Amino acid sequence: RLGDEHEYTAISHSTLGWINSDSGDLDKASKSHQIAVDVCDRLDEINPTKQRVRVGLLVNEARRLRKTGQAHKEVAEEALGIAERIHRPVYEIQAARGLLA
């Protein structure tokens, strides 16, 4: 399907960013996140219906920002808005809401 390869690449880099953030390597986390964002932007051009990838990406980025003491609620709000609009599973919506608490 159109955009599948981009979707898998974005998910992989988003996950790497989350893992690197949890392990404390925030530089690698930031680089992985930026790659995932770039791929997501390209994915939006190819197949805008794949917004679910961006939800996970934003949740992971909000987690990284919170861990570094940076403002993260705006990113979490964006994730929540997309998740609710496209009817993502409850666990994704709860993850975004948890970052707003």
Side-chain angles (χ1 to χ4, degrees):
R1 291 184 329 214
L2 189 59
D4 282 356
E5 183 178 322
H6 287 77
E7 182 178 28
Y8 302 138
T9 301
I11 290 168
S12 297
H13 282 282
S14 179
T15 303
L16 281 172
W18 181 20
I19 291 168
N20 288 323
S21 180
D22 280 354
S23 70
D25 193 340
L26 301 179
D27 187 47
K28 279 187 182 177
S30 182
K31 288 176 184 173
S32 292
H33 172 74
Q34 190 55 55
I35 292 168
V37 167
D38 293 344
V39 174
C40 257
D41 290 345
R42 180 69 182 123
L43 180 59
D44 287 348
E45 294 171 13
I46 295 169
N47 189 346
T49 63
K50 297 213 178 240
Q51 284 286 300
R52 66 189 182 89
V53 176
R54 191 165 300 272
V55 172
L57 173 68
L58 291 169
V59 166
N60 287 343
E61 176 61 359
R63 286 178 178 145
R64 186 186 69 77
L65 290 170
R66 183 175 64 181
K67 188 172 203 151
T68 61
Q70 298 177 56
H72 66 280
K73 291 191 176 190
E74 186 176 310
V75 175
E77 286 171 356
E78 184 179 355
L80 179 59
I82 294 170
E84 289 177 337
R85 187 179 73 245
I86 64 172
H87 308 291
R88 292 304 301 150
V90 171
Y91 69 89
E92 287 185 4
I93 292 171
Q94 287 174 337
R97 282 188 182 142
L99 289 162
L100 293 171

